[in-house]
Amino acid sequence: MVECNEQSKLKNIELLKKYKNTESIEEKKRVKEELVLLYESLVYKLARKYKNAPNIDLEDLVQTGYIGLLESLERYDLERGLEFMTYATVFIDGKIKNYLRDKTQLVKPTRKVIDTFFVYLKAEEYLRTTLE
């Protein structure tokens, strides 16, 4: 869980520095796992915002959020002075929104469009039966 006191912020910055500057693949993997565990509560918090999306499981949203977290770890630049949690939030939320956009229908058609669609379906059925 991510804490917001000064000591934990310094620890997080040290972990991020270690992740960016480590050459050893094993050490980098270990630090990455530690960072992911540290920020998993952020992923769950952002995924729960969208838990009421139709036909979407919370676990799918969480997995997508983890992908966003991993991308933010790779792209984060310590030199810019931006807090990592702020940076990661944008990536995680963006990944989840993209997933939802791809999996759900965000724009609902108006009632008039739906009614017109059914009129066309009835007309098509009528023409098929009369022309056969």
Side-chain angles (χ1 to χ4, degrees), residues 41-104:
S41 62
L42 177 63
V43 172
Y44 274 91
K45 177 185 171 191
L46 293 170
R48 277 192 296 269
K49 273 185 8 183
Y50 305 102
K51 69 181 178 185
N52 293 327
N55 301 323
I56 302 291
D57 292 329
L58 179 62
E59 279 303 309
D60 291 338
L61 298 175
V62 170
Q63 288 178 4
T64 305
Y66 277 124
I67 293 170
L69 177 61
L70 293 172
E71 281 184 18
S72 67
L73 279 172
E74 293 300 321
R75 294 183 180 193
Y76 182 67
D77 185 9
L78 285 162
E79 310 300 318
R80 299 185 82 188
L82 186 64
E83 190 174 329
F84 178 73
M85 187 182 289
T86 306
Y87 189 78
T89 298
V90 172
F91 269 83
I92 295 166
D93 203 42
K95 260 306 185 198
I96 292 172
K97 285 179 181 176
N98 286 340
Y99 176 79
L100 288 172
R101 185 184 63 229
D102 293 345
K103 295 292 180 185
T104 62

Short mmCIF file of all heavy atoms in Angstrom, two decimals, residues 41-104:
data_model
loop_
_atom_site.label_atom_id
_atom_site.label_comp_id
_atom_site.label_asym_id
_atom_site.label_seq_id
_atom_site.Cartn_x
_atom_site.Cartn_y
_atom_site.Cartn_z
N SER A 41 -2.39 -0.94 -4.62
CA SER A 41 -3.61 -0.32 -4.09
C SER A 41 -4.10 0.80 -5.01
O SER A 41 -5.31 1.02 -5.15
CB SER A 41 -3.38 0.21 -2.68
OG SER A 41 -2.40 1.21 -2.68
N LEU A 42 -3.17 1.50 -5.64
CA LEU A 42 -3.55 2.54 -6.60
C LEU A 42 -4.26 1.92 -7.80
O LEU A 42 -5.27 2.46 -8.27
CB LEU A 42 -2.30 3.31 -7.06
CG LEU A 42 -2.51 4.39 -8.10
CD1 LEU A 42 -3.39 5.50 -7.56
CD2 LEU A 42 -1.16 4.95 -8.56
N VAL A 43 -3.75 0.80 -8.28
CA VAL A 43 -4.37 0.11 -9.41
C VAL A 43 -5.80 -0.31 -9.05
O VAL A 43 -6.74 -0.07 -9.82
CB VAL A 43 -3.53 -1.11 -9.85
CG1 VAL A 43 -4.27 -1.93 -10.89
CG2 VAL A 43 -2.18 -0.68 -10.37
N TYR A 44 -5.97 -0.91 -7.87
CA TYR A 44 -7.30 -1.35 -7.45
C TYR A 44 -8.24 -0.17 -7.26
O TYR A 44 -9.41 -0.23 -7.63
CB TYR A 44 -7.22 -2.17 -6.16
CG TYR A 44 -6.95 -3.63 -6.43
CD1 TYR A 44 -5.66 -4.13 -6.48
CD2 TYR A 44 -8.00 -4.51 -6.67
CE1 TYR A 44 -5.41 -5.46 -6.74
CE2 TYR A 44 -7.76 -5.85 -6.93
CZ TYR A 44 -6.47 -6.31 -6.96
OH TYR A 44 -6.24 -7.63 -7.23
N LYS A 45 -7.74 0.92 -6.70
CA LYS A 45 -8.57 2.10 -6.48
C LYS A 45 -9.10 2.64 -7.81
O LYS A 45 -10.28 2.94 -7.96
CB LYS A 45 -7.76 3.17 -5.77
CG LYS A 45 -8.51 4.46 -5.56
CD LYS A 45 -7.62 5.52 -4.95
CE LYS A 45 -8.35 6.85 -4.95
NZ LYS A 45 -7.48 7.95 -4.63
N LEU A 46 -8.21 2.74 -8.81
CA LEU A 46 -8.62 3.27 -10.10
C LEU A 46 -9.53 2.29 -10.85
O LEU A 46 -10.47 2.70 -11.53
CB LEU A 46 -7.40 3.62 -10.94
CG LEU A 46 -6.58 4.79 -10.39
CD1 LEU A 46 -5.27 4.91 -11.14
CD2 LEU A 46 -7.36 6.08 -10.47
N ALA A 47 -9.28 0.99 -10.70
CA ALA A 47 -10.12 -0.01 -11.38
C ALA A 47 -11.53 -0.02 -10.79
O ALA A 47 -12.52 -0.18 -11.52
CB ALA A 47 -9.49 -1.39 -11.26
N ARG A 48 -11.64 0.16 -9.48
CA ARG A 48 -12.96 0.16 -8.84
C ARG A 48 -13.84 1.33 -9.29
O ARG A 48 -15.06 1.26 -9.22
CB ARG A 48 -12.81 0.16 -7.32
CG ARG A 48 -12.57 -1.23 -6.75
CD ARG A 48 -12.73 -1.26 -5.25
NE ARG A 48 -11.75 -0.44 -4.56
CZ ARG A 48 -10.57 -0.87 -4.14
NH1 ARG A 48 -10.21 -2.11 -4.34
NH2 ARG A 48 -9.75 -0.06 -3.51
N LYS A 49 -13.22 2.40 -9.79
CA LYS A 49 -14.02 3.51 -10.31
C LYS A 49 -14.93 3.07 -11.45
O LYS A 49 -15.99 3.63 -11.67
CB LYS A 49 -13.10 4.62 -10.86
CG LYS A 49 -12.65 5.60 -9.87
CD LYS A 49 -11.83 6.76 -10.40
CE LYS A 49 -11.66 6.95 -11.85
NZ LYS A 49 -10.78 8.07 -12.21
N TYR A 50 -14.50 2.06 -12.19
CA TYR A 50 -15.22 1.64 -13.39
C TYR A 50 -15.86 0.26 -13.23
O TYR A 50 -16.22 -0.38 -14.21
CB TYR A 50 -14.26 1.61 -14.59
CG TYR A 50 -13.56 2.91 -14.81
CD1 TYR A 50 -12.24 3.11 -14.40
CD2 TYR A 50 -14.22 3.98 -15.41
CE1 TYR A 50 -11.60 4.32 -14.61
CE2 TYR A 50 -13.59 5.20 -15.60
CZ TYR A 50 -12.29 5.35 -15.19
OH TYR A 50 -11.65 6.55 -15.39
N LYS A 51 -16.02 -0.21 -12.00
CA LYS A 51 -16.51 -1.57 -11.78
C LYS A 51 -17.94 -1.79 -12.25
O LYS A 51 -18.35 -2.92 -12.45
CB LYS A 51 -16.38 -1.96 -10.31
CG LYS A 51 -17.32 -1.22 -9.39
CD LYS A 51 -17.14 -1.63 -7.96
CE LYS A 51 -18.08 -0.82 -7.10
NZ LYS A 51 -17.88 -1.07 -5.71
N ASN A 52 -18.70 -0.73 -12.44
CA ASN A 52 -20.09 -0.87 -12.87
C ASN A 52 -20.25 -0.87 -14.39
O ASN A 52 -21.37 -0.81 -14.89
CB ASN A 52 -20.95 0.23 -12.25
CG ASN A 52 -21.06 0.07 -10.75
OD1 ASN A 52 -21.07 -1.05 -10.24
ND2 ASN A 52 -21.10 1.17 -10.04
N ALA A 53 -19.15 -0.92 -15.10
CA ALA A 53 -19.23 -0.98 -16.56
C ALA A 53 -19.91 -2.29 -16.97
O ALA A 53 -19.63 -3.34 -16.38
CB ALA A 53 -17.84 -0.89 -17.18
N PRO A 54 -20.80 -2.23 -17.95
CA PRO A 54 -21.53 -3.44 -18.34
C PRO A 54 -20.63 -4.50 -18.96
O PRO A 54 -19.76 -4.20 -19.78
CB PRO A 54 -22.55 -2.92 -19.37
CG PRO A 54 -21.98 -1.64 -19.86
CD PRO A 54 -21.17 -1.07 -18.74
N ASN A 55 -20.82 -5.74 -18.54
CA ASN A 55 -20.13 -6.92 -19.08
C ASN A 55 -18.61 -6.87 -18.92
O ASN A 55 -17.89 -7.47 -19.72
CB ASN A 55 -20.48 -7.12 -20.56
CG ASN A 55 -21.96 -7.30 -20.77
OD1 ASN A 55 -22.64 -7.93 -19.96
ND2 ASN A 55 -22.48 -6.72 -21.83
N ILE A 56 -18.12 -6.16 -17.92
CA ILE A 56 -16.68 -6.07 -17.67
C ILE A 56 -16.42 -6.51 -16.23
O ILE A 56 -17.05 -6.02 -15.30
CB ILE A 56 -16.15 -4.63 -17.87
CG1 ILE A 56 -16.44 -4.13 -19.27
CG2 ILE A 56 -14.67 -4.55 -17.56
CD1 ILE A 56 -15.67 -4.80 -20.37
N ASP A 57 -15.50 -7.47 -16.05
CA ASP A 57 -15.14 -7.92 -14.71
C ASP A 57 -14.11 -6.98 -14.10
O ASP A 57 -13.25 -6.44 -14.81
CB ASP A 57 -14.55 -9.33 -14.77
CG ASP A 57 -15.58 -10.37 -15.16
OD1 ASP A 57 -16.76 -10.18 -14.83
OD2 ASP A 57 -15.18 -11.38 -15.78
N LEU A 58 -14.17 -6.86 -12.79
CA LEU A 58 -13.21 -6.02 -12.08
C LEU A 58 -11.79 -6.52 -12.30
O LEU A 58 -10.86 -5.74 -12.45
CB LEU A 58 -13.55 -5.98 -10.58
CG LEU A 58 -12.60 -5.17 -9.70
CD1 LEU A 58 -12.62 -3.69 -10.12
CD2 LEU A 58 -12.95 -5.32 -8.23
N GLU A 59 -11.63 -7.85 -12.35
CA GLU A 59 -10.28 -8.41 -12.54
C GLU A 59 -9.68 -8.01 -13.89
O GLU A 59 -8.48 -7.79 -13.99
CB GLU A 59 -10.30 -9.93 -12.40
CG GLU A 59 -10.27 -10.39 -10.96
CD GLU A 59 -9.07 -9.85 -10.18
OE1 GLU A 59 -7.93 -9.98 -10.65
OE2 GLU A 59 -9.30 -9.28 -9.11
N ASP A 60 -10.52 -7.90 -14.92
CA ASP A 60 -10.03 -7.44 -16.22
C ASP A 60 -9.53 -6.01 -16.12
O ASP A 60 -8.50 -5.64 -16.69
CB ASP A 60 -11.13 -7.53 -17.28
CG ASP A 60 -11.49 -8.97 -17.62
OD1 ASP A 60 -10.66 -9.86 -17.38
OD2 ASP A 60 -12.60 -9.19 -18.12
N LEU A 61 -10.27 -5.19 -15.38
CA LEU A 61 -9.87 -3.79 -15.20
C LEU A 61 -8.57 -3.70 -14.41
O LEU A 61 -7.70 -2.89 -14.72
CB LEU A 61 -10.98 -3.01 -14.49
CG LEU A 61 -12.31 -2.92 -15.22
CD1 LEU A 61 -13.35 -2.22 -14.35
CD2 LEU A 61 -12.16 -2.20 -16.54
N VAL A 62 -8.44 -4.56 -13.39
CA VAL A 62 -7.22 -4.56 -12.58
C VAL A 62 -6.02 -4.99 -13.42
O VAL A 62 -4.95 -4.36 -13.36
CB VAL A 62 -7.39 -5.48 -11.35
CG1 VAL A 62 -6.07 -5.69 -10.63
CG2 VAL A 62 -8.42 -4.89 -10.39
N GLN A 63 -6.18 -6.03 -14.22
CA GLN A 63 -5.08 -6.48 -15.08
C GLN A 63 -4.66 -5.39 -16.06
O GLN A 63 -3.47 -5.16 -16.28
CB GLN A 63 -5.48 -7.75 -15.84
CG GLN A 63 -5.56 -8.97 -14.97
CD GLN A 63 -6.01 -10.19 -15.72
OE1 GLN A 63 -6.22 -10.16 -16.93
NE2 GLN A 63 -6.19 -11.29 -15.01
N THR A 64 -5.64 -4.72 -16.61
CA THR A 64 -5.35 -3.62 -17.52
C THR A 64 -4.64 -2.49 -16.78
O THR A 64 -3.71 -1.87 -17.30
CB THR A 64 -6.65 -3.10 -18.16
OG1 THR A 64 -7.31 -4.20 -18.79
CG2 THR A 64 -6.37 -2.04 -19.19
N GLY A 65 -5.06 -2.24 -15.55
CA GLY A 65 -4.41 -1.23 -14.73
C GLY A 65 -2.95 -1.58 -14.44
O GLY A 65 -2.07 -0.70 -14.44
N TYR A 66 -2.67 -2.86 -14.21
CA TYR A 66 -1.29 -3.28 -14.00
C TYR A 66 -0.43 -3.04 -15.24
O TYR A 66 0.74 -2.67 -15.13
CB TYR A 66 -1.21 -4.75 -13.60
CG TYR A 66 -1.45 -5.00 -12.13
CD1 TYR A 66 -2.44 -5.86 -11.70
CD2 TYR A 66 -0.67 -4.37 -11.16
CE1 TYR A 66 -2.66 -6.09 -10.36
CE2 TYR A 66 -0.88 -4.59 -9.82
CZ TYR A 66 -1.87 -5.46 -9.42
OH TYR A 66 -2.08 -5.67 -8.09
N ILE A 67 -1.01 -3.23 -16.40
CA ILE A 67 -0.27 -2.95 -17.64
C ILE A 67 0.08 -1.46 -17.69
O ILE A 67 1.20 -1.09 -18.04
CB ILE A 67 -1.10 -3.38 -18.87
CG1 ILE A 67 -1.23 -4.90 -18.89
CG2 ILE A 67 -0.44 -2.87 -20.16
CD1 ILE A 67 -2.22 -5.42 -19.92
N GLY A 68 -0.88 -0.62 -17.32
CA GLY A 68 -0.61 0.82 -17.26
C GLY A 68 0.46 1.16 -16.25
O GLY A 68 1.32 2.01 -16.49
N LEU A 69 0.45 0.48 -15.10
CA LEU A 69 1.48 0.70 -14.08
C LEU A 69 2.86 0.32 -14.60
O LEU A 69 3.84 1.05 -14.43
CB LEU A 69 1.15 -0.08 -12.81
CG LEU A 69 2.17 -0.02 -11.67
CD1 LEU A 69 2.36 1.41 -11.18
CD2 LEU A 69 1.74 -0.93 -10.54
N LEU A 70 2.94 -0.82 -15.27
CA LEU A 70 4.23 -1.26 -15.83
C LEU A 70 4.73 -0.29 -16.89
O LEU A 70 5.94 0.01 -16.95
CB LEU A 70 4.10 -2.67 -16.39
CG LEU A 70 3.87 -3.77 -15.34
CD1 LEU A 70 3.57 -5.10 -16.02
CD2 LEU A 70 5.05 -3.89 -14.39
N GLU A 71 3.83 0.21 -17.72
CA GLU A 71 4.23 1.19 -18.73
C GLU A 71 4.73 2.47 -18.08
O GLU A 71 5.70 3.08 -18.52
CB GLU A 71 3.06 1.52 -19.67
CG GLU A 71 2.84 0.48 -20.73
CD GLU A 71 1.74 0.88 -21.69
OE1 GLU A 71 1.37 2.07 -21.76
OE2 GLU A 71 1.24 -0.02 -22.39
N SER A 72 4.06 2.88 -17.01
CA SER A 72 4.48 4.11 -16.33
C SER A 72 5.85 3.92 -15.68
O SER A 72 6.65 4.86 -15.64
CB SER A 72 3.44 4.55 -15.30
OG SER A 72 3.35 3.63 -14.23
N LEU A 73 6.14 2.72 -15.19
CA LEU A 73 7.47 2.45 -14.63
C LEU A 73 8.55 2.59 -15.70
O LEU A 73 9.63 3.11 -15.44
CB LEU A 73 7.52 1.05 -14.02
CG LEU A 73 6.96 0.87 -12.64
CD1 LEU A 73 6.91 -0.60 -12.26
CD2 LEU A 73 7.76 1.66 -11.62
N GLU A 74 8.24 2.10 -16.89
CA GLU A 74 9.23 2.15 -17.97
C GLU A 74 9.45 3.58 -18.48
O GLU A 74 10.55 3.95 -18.83
CB GLU A 74 8.79 1.26 -19.14
CG GLU A 74 8.79 -0.20 -18.82
CD GLU A 74 10.16 -0.73 -18.41
OE1 GLU A 74 11.18 -0.32 -19.00
OE2 GLU A 74 10.20 -1.54 -17.47
N ARG A 75 8.40 4.37 -18.51
CA ARG A 75 8.50 5.71 -19.11
C ARG A 75 8.80 6.83 -18.12
O ARG A 75 9.07 7.95 -18.53
CB ARG A 75 7.19 6.04 -19.83
CG ARG A 75 6.96 5.15 -21.02
CD ARG A 75 5.71 5.57 -21.72
NE ARG A 75 5.46 4.74 -22.88
CZ ARG A 75 4.58 5.02 -23.80
NH1 ARG A 75 3.85 6.11 -23.71
NH2 ARG A 75 4.41 4.22 -24.82
N TYR A 76 8.72 6.54 -16.84
CA TYR A 76 8.89 7.59 -15.83
C TYR A 76 10.30 8.16 -15.88
O TYR A 76 11.29 7.44 -15.98
CB TYR A 76 8.61 7.02 -14.44
CG TYR A 76 8.73 8.04 -13.34
CD1 TYR A 76 7.84 9.10 -13.25
CD2 TYR A 76 9.74 7.96 -12.39
CE1 TYR A 76 7.93 10.04 -12.24
CE2 TYR A 76 9.84 8.89 -11.38
CZ TYR A 76 8.94 9.92 -11.30
OH TYR A 76 9.05 10.85 -10.30
N ASP A 77 10.37 9.48 -15.81
CA ASP A 77 11.65 10.18 -15.84
C ASP A 77 11.83 10.93 -14.52
O ASP A 77 11.10 11.88 -14.24
CB ASP A 77 11.68 11.16 -17.02
CG ASP A 77 13.03 11.84 -17.18
OD1 ASP A 77 14.00 11.44 -16.50
OD2 ASP A 77 13.10 12.78 -17.99
N LEU A 78 12.80 10.47 -13.73
CA LEU A 78 13.05 11.08 -12.42
C LEU A 78 13.48 12.54 -12.54
O LEU A 78 13.23 13.35 -11.65
CB LEU A 78 14.15 10.31 -11.69
CG LEU A 78 13.72 8.97 -11.09
CD1 LEU A 78 14.94 8.12 -10.79
CD2 LEU A 78 12.91 9.21 -9.84
N GLU A 79 14.10 12.89 -13.63
CA GLU A 79 14.65 14.24 -13.81
C GLU A 79 13.56 15.31 -13.93
O GLU A 79 13.82 16.47 -13.69
CB GLU A 79 15.53 14.29 -15.06
CG GLU A 79 16.58 13.19 -15.14
CD GLU A 79 17.55 13.23 -13.97
OE1 GLU A 79 17.99 14.33 -13.58
OE2 GLU A 79 17.86 12.15 -13.43
N ARG A 80 12.36 14.93 -14.29
CA ARG A 80 11.29 15.92 -14.49
C ARG A 80 10.71 16.42 -13.19
O ARG A 80 10.01 17.43 -13.17
CB ARG A 80 10.18 15.32 -15.36
CG ARG A 80 10.72 14.95 -16.74
CD ARG A 80 9.65 14.49 -17.63
NE ARG A 80 8.99 15.68 -18.19
CZ ARG A 80 7.90 15.64 -18.90
NH1 ARG A 80 7.33 14.49 -19.15
NH2 ARG A 80 7.37 16.74 -19.38
N GLY A 81 10.96 15.71 -12.09
CA GLY A 81 10.51 16.17 -10.79
C GLY A 81 9.04 15.92 -10.49
O GLY A 81 8.52 16.38 -9.49
N LEU A 82 8.37 15.15 -11.33
CA LEU A 82 6.96 14.84 -11.12
C LEU A 82 6.86 13.65 -10.18
O LEU A 82 7.64 12.70 -10.27
CB LEU A 82 6.31 14.51 -12.46
CG LEU A 82 4.83 14.28 -12.50
CD1 LEU A 82 4.09 15.56 -12.12
CD2 LEU A 82 4.40 13.85 -13.89
N GLU A 83 5.90 13.69 -9.27
CA GLU A 83 5.72 12.58 -8.35
C GLU A 83 5.22 11.36 -9.13
O GLU A 83 4.35 11.46 -9.99
CB GLU A 83 4.70 12.96 -7.27
CG GLU A 83 4.63 11.97 -6.16
CD GLU A 83 3.74 12.42 -5.03
OE1 GLU A 83 3.62 13.63 -4.79
OE2 GLU A 83 3.14 11.53 -4.40
N PHE A 84 5.79 10.19 -8.81
CA PHE A 84 5.48 8.99 -9.58
C PHE A 84 4.01 8.62 -9.48
O PHE A 84 3.41 8.19 -10.48
CB PHE A 84 6.34 7.80 -9.15
CG PHE A 84 6.00 6.55 -9.90
CD1 PHE A 84 6.36 6.41 -11.23
CD2 PHE A 84 5.27 5.54 -9.31
CE1 PHE A 84 6.03 5.27 -11.95
CE2 PHE A 84 4.93 4.39 -10.00
CZ PHE A 84 5.31 4.27 -11.33
N MET A 85 3.41 8.77 -8.32
CA MET A 85 2.00 8.38 -8.17
C MET A 85 1.11 9.18 -9.11
O MET A 85 0.19 8.64 -9.72
CB MET A 85 1.53 8.57 -6.73
CG MET A 85 0.13 8.03 -6.53
SD MET A 85 -0.52 8.25 -4.87
CE MET A 85 0.46 7.11 -3.97
N THR A 86 1.40 10.45 -9.28
CA THR A 86 0.63 11.29 -10.21
C THR A 86 0.83 10.79 -11.63
O THR A 86 -0.14 10.66 -12.40
CB THR A 86 1.09 12.75 -10.10
OG1 THR A 86 0.99 13.16 -8.74
CG2 THR A 86 0.27 13.66 -10.98
N TYR A 87 2.07 10.50 -11.98
CA TYR A 87 2.40 10.02 -13.32
C TYR A 87 1.73 8.67 -13.59
O TYR A 87 1.12 8.46 -14.64
CB TYR A 87 3.92 9.90 -13.43
CG TYR A 87 4.44 9.62 -14.81
CD1 TYR A 87 4.54 10.63 -15.76
CD2 TYR A 87 4.84 8.35 -15.18
CE1 TYR A 87 5.03 10.38 -17.02
CE2 TYR A 87 5.33 8.08 -16.44
CZ TYR A 87 5.43 9.11 -17.36
OH TYR A 87 5.90 8.85 -18.61
N ALA A 88 1.82 7.76 -12.62
CA ALA A 88 1.25 6.43 -12.79
C ALA A 88 -0.27 6.48 -12.88
O ALA A 88 -0.88 5.73 -13.64
CB ALA A 88 1.68 5.52 -11.65
N THR A 89 -0.89 7.37 -12.13
CA THR A 89 -2.34 7.48 -12.14
C THR A 89 -2.85 7.80 -13.55
O THR A 89 -3.83 7.22 -14.01
CB THR A 89 -2.81 8.58 -11.15
OG1 THR A 89 -2.41 8.20 -9.83
CG2 THR A 89 -4.31 8.75 -11.19
N VAL A 90 -2.17 8.68 -14.23
CA VAL A 90 -2.57 9.05 -15.59
C VAL A 90 -2.47 7.84 -16.52
O VAL A 90 -3.38 7.57 -17.31
CB VAL A 90 -1.71 10.22 -16.11
CG1 VAL A 90 -1.97 10.48 -17.57
CG2 VAL A 90 -1.95 11.46 -15.29
N PHE A 91 -1.38 7.08 -16.41
CA PHE A 91 -1.20 5.90 -17.27
C PHE A 91 -2.22 4.81 -16.96
O PHE A 91 -2.82 4.22 -17.88
CB PHE A 91 0.21 5.33 -17.10
CG PHE A 91 1.20 5.91 -18.06
CD1 PHE A 91 1.81 7.12 -17.79
CD2 PHE A 91 1.52 5.26 -19.23
CE1 PHE A 91 2.71 7.67 -18.67
CE2 PHE A 91 2.43 5.79 -20.12
CZ PHE A 91 3.03 7.00 -19.83
N ILE A 92 -2.42 4.53 -15.68
CA ILE A 92 -3.33 3.46 -15.29
C ILE A 92 -4.76 3.81 -15.71
O ILE A 92 -5.45 2.99 -16.32
CB ILE A 92 -3.25 3.22 -13.77
CG1 ILE A 92 -1.86 2.70 -13.38
CG2 ILE A 92 -4.32 2.23 -13.31
CD1 ILE A 92 -1.56 2.75 -11.90
N ASP A 93 -5.18 5.01 -15.38
CA ASP A 93 -6.53 5.45 -15.73
C ASP A 93 -6.72 5.46 -17.25
O ASP A 93 -7.76 5.02 -17.76
CB ASP A 93 -6.78 6.83 -15.14
CG ASP A 93 -8.25 7.13 -14.98
OD1 ASP A 93 -9.00 6.24 -14.54
OD2 ASP A 93 -8.65 8.27 -15.28
N GLY A 94 -5.73 5.91 -17.97
CA GLY A 94 -5.80 5.93 -19.44
C GLY A 94 -5.91 4.55 -20.03
O GLY A 94 -6.70 4.31 -20.96
N LYS A 95 -5.13 3.60 -19.49
CA LYS A 95 -5.19 2.23 -19.99
C LYS A 95 -6.56 1.63 -19.75
O LYS A 95 -7.12 0.95 -20.63
CB LYS A 95 -4.16 1.36 -19.28
CG LYS A 95 -2.88 1.08 -19.97
CD LYS A 95 -3.06 0.50 -21.33
CE LYS A 95 -1.70 0.15 -21.88
NZ LYS A 95 -1.67 -0.02 -23.29
N ILE A 96 -7.11 1.86 -18.56
CA ILE A 96 -8.43 1.32 -18.24
C ILE A 96 -9.50 1.94 -19.14
O ILE A 96 -10.37 1.24 -19.66
CB ILE A 96 -8.75 1.52 -16.75
CG1 ILE A 96 -7.83 0.65 -15.89
CG2 ILE A 96 -10.20 1.20 -16.45
CD1 ILE A 96 -7.92 0.91 -14.40
N LYS A 97 -9.43 3.25 -19.34
CA LYS A 97 -10.40 3.91 -20.21
C LYS A 97 -10.30 3.40 -21.65
O LYS A 97 -11.33 3.21 -22.31
CB LYS A 97 -10.21 5.42 -20.18
CG LYS A 97 -10.72 6.06 -18.92
CD LYS A 97 -10.48 7.55 -18.93
CE LYS A 97 -10.97 8.21 -17.67
NZ LYS A 97 -10.66 9.64 -17.64
N ASN A 98 -9.09 3.20 -22.15
CA ASN A 98 -8.93 2.64 -23.50
C ASN A 98 -9.52 1.24 -23.58
O ASN A 98 -10.17 0.89 -24.57
CB ASN A 98 -7.45 2.61 -23.89
CG ASN A 98 -6.92 3.97 -24.22
OD1 ASN A 98 -7.66 4.89 -24.52
ND2 ASN A 98 -5.60 4.11 -24.17
N TYR A 99 -9.30 0.44 -22.55
CA TYR A 99 -9.86 -0.91 -22.52
C TYR A 99 -11.38 -0.86 -22.56
O TYR A 99 -12.02 -1.58 -23.33
CB TYR A 99 -9.38 -1.64 -21.26
CG TYR A 99 -9.97 -3.01 -21.09
CD1 TYR A 99 -9.47 -4.09 -21.81
CD2 TYR A 99 -11.02 -3.23 -20.21
CE1 TYR A 99 -10.02 -5.35 -21.67
CE2 TYR A 99 -11.57 -4.48 -20.05
CZ TYR A 99 -11.06 -5.54 -20.78
OH TYR A 99 -11.60 -6.79 -20.64
N LEU A 100 -11.95 0.02 -21.74
CA LEU A 100 -13.41 0.15 -21.71
C LEU A 100 -13.95 0.65 -23.04
O LEU A 100 -15.00 0.19 -23.50
CB LEU A 100 -13.83 1.10 -20.59
CG LEU A 100 -13.68 0.56 -19.17
CD1 LEU A 100 -13.94 1.66 -18.16
CD2 LEU A 100 -14.61 -0.61 -18.95
N ARG A 101 -13.26 1.57 -23.65
CA ARG A 101 -13.70 2.09 -24.95
C ARG A 101 -13.70 0.98 -25.99
O ARG A 101 -14.60 0.90 -26.83
CB ARG A 101 -12.79 3.24 -25.40
CG ARG A 101 -13.28 3.91 -26.67
CD ARG A 101 -12.35 4.96 -27.18
NE ARG A 101 -11.08 4.36 -27.53
CZ ARG A 101 -9.89 4.81 -27.13
NH1 ARG A 101 -9.80 5.88 -26.37
NH2 ARG A 101 -8.79 4.21 -27.50
N ASP A 102 -12.71 0.10 -25.93
CA ASP A 102 -12.64 -0.99 -26.89
C ASP A 102 -13.67 -2.09 -26.61
O ASP A 102 -14.10 -2.77 -27.52
CB ASP A 102 -11.24 -1.60 -26.87
CG ASP A 102 -10.18 -0.66 -27.41
OD1 ASP A 102 -10.54 0.36 -28.05
OD2 ASP A 102 -8.98 -0.90 -27.16
N LYS A 103 -14.04 -2.26 -25.35
CA LYS A 103 -14.91 -3.38 -24.98
C LYS A 103 -16.38 -3.02 -24.78
O LYS A 103 -17.22 -3.90 -24.74
CB LYS A 103 -14.41 -4.02 -23.67
CG LYS A 103 -13.07 -4.66 -23.80
CD LYS A 103 -13.13 -5.86 -24.68
CE LYS A 103 -11.75 -6.49 -24.80
NZ LYS A 103 -11.71 -7.58 -25.72
N THR A 104 -16.69 -1.76 -24.62
CA THR A 104 -18.08 -1.38 -24.37
C THR A 104 -18.54 -0.33 -25.35
O THR A 104 -17.75 0.29 -26.03
CB THR A 104 -18.27 -0.83 -22.94
OG1 THR A 104 -17.49 0.35 -22.79
CG2 THR A 104 -17.89 -1.83 -21.89
#
